[in-house]
Amino acid sequence: MEHKYINEMLARADLQQFCEFLISGLELCEIDKLTYSERLNKESKLMEKRIKNISKNEEELDKIFSEFSDATDAYMHVFTEIGMKIGAKLMVQLLCQD
């Protein structure tokens, strides 16, 4: 008897897959092989270009980036806390199973 589903389960045992499922309820089509830094840089280039295009001068550019940074910091902290709670909940479930 062949158990193909085991390989499928192992293929889904990936942090990107897990995060995508928790955040959006969807399965990723493919895993991104870029580093964290490369993924962040890739996804922020267009936003940075747009902000530079709409700012009138360096002072306004600094203010826009500062405000954007404050907003993304808030998201980072909130989602880090949520992620830690999810991790703790999963750990309790794992430890409490027979």
Side-chain angles (χ1 to χ4, degrees):
M1 176 180 219
E2 196 171 335
H3 299 286
K4 291 182 180 180
Y5 65 91
I6 294 174
N7 287 335
E8 292 174 11
M9 289 169 48
L10 292 171
R12 289 188 184 105
D14 179 90
L15 283 176
Q16 287 182 36
Q17 285 283 7
F18 186 67
C19 289
E20 184 67 23
F21 180 74
L22 286 176
I23 292 169
S24 68
L26 302 174
E27 185 174 325
L28 284 175
C29 295
E30 65 181 63
I31 304 300
D32 194 336
K33 302 294 185 194
L34 298 175
T35 66
Y36 290 137
S37 181
E38 290 168 337
R39 286 167 48 198
L40 293 172
N41 287 334
K42 175 185 159 191
E43 297 300 329
S44 64
K45 281 183 183 179
L46 289 175
M47 180 269 313
E48 287 179 20
K49 185 177 178 181
R50 182 180 299 269
I51 288 173
K52 286 179 182 177
N53 286 337
I54 64 171
S55 63
K56 296 174 185 146
N57 55 43
E58 285 295 317
E59 185 178 321
E60 184 178 35
L61 180 63
D62 287 343
K63 185 176 180 182
I64 292 171
F65 275 124
S66 178
E67 291 168 351
F68 185 79
S69 178
D70 291 345
T72 55
D73 278 350
Y75 277 91
M76 178 188 65
H77 287 96
V78 166
F79 283 106
T80 299
E81 290 174 24
I82 291 169
M84 291 171 70
K85 287 180 179 181
I86 290 169
K89 183 176 181 179
L90 292 171
M91 184 62 74
V92 168
Q93 288 178 0
L94 288 170
L95 292 173
C96 292
Q97 289 181 348
D98 295 333

